[in-house]
């Protein structure tokens, strides 16, 4: 029951809510959206999602705003990204209209689970797409299930907005240059887990990955994009064929321009880390994680103060959150009303 949720002490973990939605693709068309309650569903044991990784997902959030309404952050960007992922994995994706309808329906049917304004929490929405046809010979599924579930989540880092230590993980590569790192394939997460876990065991909550071909240019953190701020107030973020185009990063770039910073999307050699005065990791779950240091081979680069996020990163975080919570005008048209 939503009434029993302790909104101020939510973590980032699965919680069963009232219902989720599902639509199925078969015979060349998408069927209608249905509402389900039981989170356990039967799937064919030979489904392509299980054997050959035809599985894609998305992540976005809905917020209770200051004026009492509920807003969803940039859902059409997620819809478009799922369409790109599906193309790369030879899957059928829902169109933008079905995607948006599914997201709105799941939020609307779980209104009680949207954390109240002022708690710092939000409703995390997880759309995913899987190939469901049985195939043992390798060929794309003819049938797909598109499912959207949601759950209330707290701020990703419970201890607050504090800088973390990162390391460059070179023992494993995350994504090949012309591979699937630029789409939200479920398998990318399995590929990155061991490196991230070994990094954590060495005392680094997040790992930074370099381009897999040369180990020379910065790609991204395990599950979030990289950006750095130079002493001349330039926002620099990598250009690479193997990183996921983060919607959070795109939004922060717009905010950076609003604040008068110059924005550069370009190759960033790992040696350039010494030029940054602030570094952040960005993605929907945590929004921004300030990074205090990055260990690379026998060197450690540091950025600002170990105990406090830098002024620019803090300002970006506050601005994006206040747009999400409806405290600042949505000047870029990012919010879709429920
Ligand atoms: C989802 C994801 C991100 C963050 O993207 P957002 O749209 O900002 O949530 C960054 N990196 C990877 C590898 C991801 O899968």
């Amino acid at each position: 029951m939503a009434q029993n949720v302790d909104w101020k002490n939510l973590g980032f973990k699965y919680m069963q809510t009232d219902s989720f939605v599902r639509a199925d693709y078969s015979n060349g068309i998408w069927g209608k959206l249905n509402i389900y309650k039981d989170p356990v569903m039967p799937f064919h044991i030979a489904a392509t999602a299980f054997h050959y990784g035809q599985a894609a997902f998305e992540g976005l959030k809905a917020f209770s705003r200051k004026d009492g309404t509920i807003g969803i952050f940039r859902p059409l960007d997620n819809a478009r990204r799922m369409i790109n992922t599906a193309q790369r994995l030879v899957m059928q994706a829902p169109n933008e209209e079905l995607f948006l309808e599914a997201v709105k329906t799941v939020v609307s049917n779980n209104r009680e689970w949207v954390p109240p304004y002022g708690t710092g929490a939000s409703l995390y929405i997880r759309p995913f797409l899987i190939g469901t046809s049985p195939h043992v010979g390798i060929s794309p599924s003819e049938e797909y299930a598109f499912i959207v579930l949601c759950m209330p989540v707290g701020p990703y880092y419970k201890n607050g907005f504090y800088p973390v230590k990162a390391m460059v993980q070179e023992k494993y590569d995350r994504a090949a240059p012309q591979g699937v790192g630029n789409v939200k394939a479920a398998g990318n997460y399995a590929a990155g887990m061991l490196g991230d876990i070994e990094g954590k065991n060495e005392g680094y909550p997040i790992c930074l990955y370099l381009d897999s071909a040369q180990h020379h240019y910065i790609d991204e953190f395990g599950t979030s994009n990289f950006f750095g701020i130079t002493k001349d107030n330039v926002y620099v973020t990598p250009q690479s064929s193997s990183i996921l185009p983060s919607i959070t990063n795109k939004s922060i770039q717009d905010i950076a321009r609003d604040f008068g910073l110059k924005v550069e999307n370009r190759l960033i050699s790992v040696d350039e880390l010494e030029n940054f005065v602030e570094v952040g990791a960005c993605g929907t779950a945590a929004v921004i994680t300030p990074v205090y240091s990055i260990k690379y081979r026998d060197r450690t680069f540091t950025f600002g103060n170990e105990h406090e996020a830098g002024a620019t990163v803090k300002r970006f975080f506050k601005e994006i959150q206040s747009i999400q919570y409806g405290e600042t005008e949505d000047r870029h048209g990012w919010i879709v009303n429920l």
Side-chain angles (χ1 to χ4, degrees), residues 13-79:
K13 55 179 196 281
Y14 177 77
M15 185 185 291
Q16 188 177 338
T17 52
D18 285 352
S19 63
F20 62 98
V21 296
R22 168 175 174 172
D24 281 84
Y25 181 91
S26 67
N27 298 317
I29 51 162
W30 281 101
K32 78 176 206 348
L33 210 56
N34 289 307
I35 295 159
Y36 298 88
K37 287 189 176 293
D38 185 351
V40 180
M41 300 195 114
F43 288 102
H44 198 289
I45 57 171
T48 65
F50 300 138
H51 299 263
Y52 302 127
Q54 275 196 309
F57 74 98
E58 277 302 328
L60 66 162
K61 284 177 171 174
F63 300 84
S64 289
R65 291 180 294 183
K66 202 176 173 187
D67 67 0
T69 62
I70 294 171
I72 307 167
F73 193 69
R74 307 193 75 167
L76 286 172
D77 290 70
N78 295 91

Side-chain angles (χ1 to χ4, degrees), residues 57-60 73 77-78 81 124 126 174 181 183-185 188-189 220-226 242-251 282-287:
F57 74 98
E58 277 302 328
L60 66 162
F73 193 69
D77 290 70
N78 295 91
R81 194 165 64 187
Y124 183 70
R126 165 57 59 85
R174 226 198 94 254
V183 296
K184 226 167 164 72
N188 286 341
Y189 277 69
E220 65 174 320
F221 295 101
T223 61
S224 50
N225 274 190
F226 171 97
S242 50
I243 62 177
L244 201 274
S246 154
I247 296 162
T248 313
N249 190 357
K250 204 164 74 166
S251 309
C282 60
T284 295
V287 188

Side-chain angles (χ1 to χ4, degrees), residues 99-139:
F99 187 99
L100 191 60
E101 184 196 347
V103 166
K104 282 187 165 181
T105 306
V106 83
V107 176
S108 151
N109 289 339
N110 289 284
R111 266 169 198 279
E112 285 181 23
W113 298 90
V114 185
Y117 174 73
T119 56
S122 57
L123 187 77
Y124 183 70
I125 305 161
R126 165 57 59 85
F128 72 102
L129 179 69
I130 51 173
T132 50
S133 301
H135 281 305
V136 176
I138 297 182
S139 61

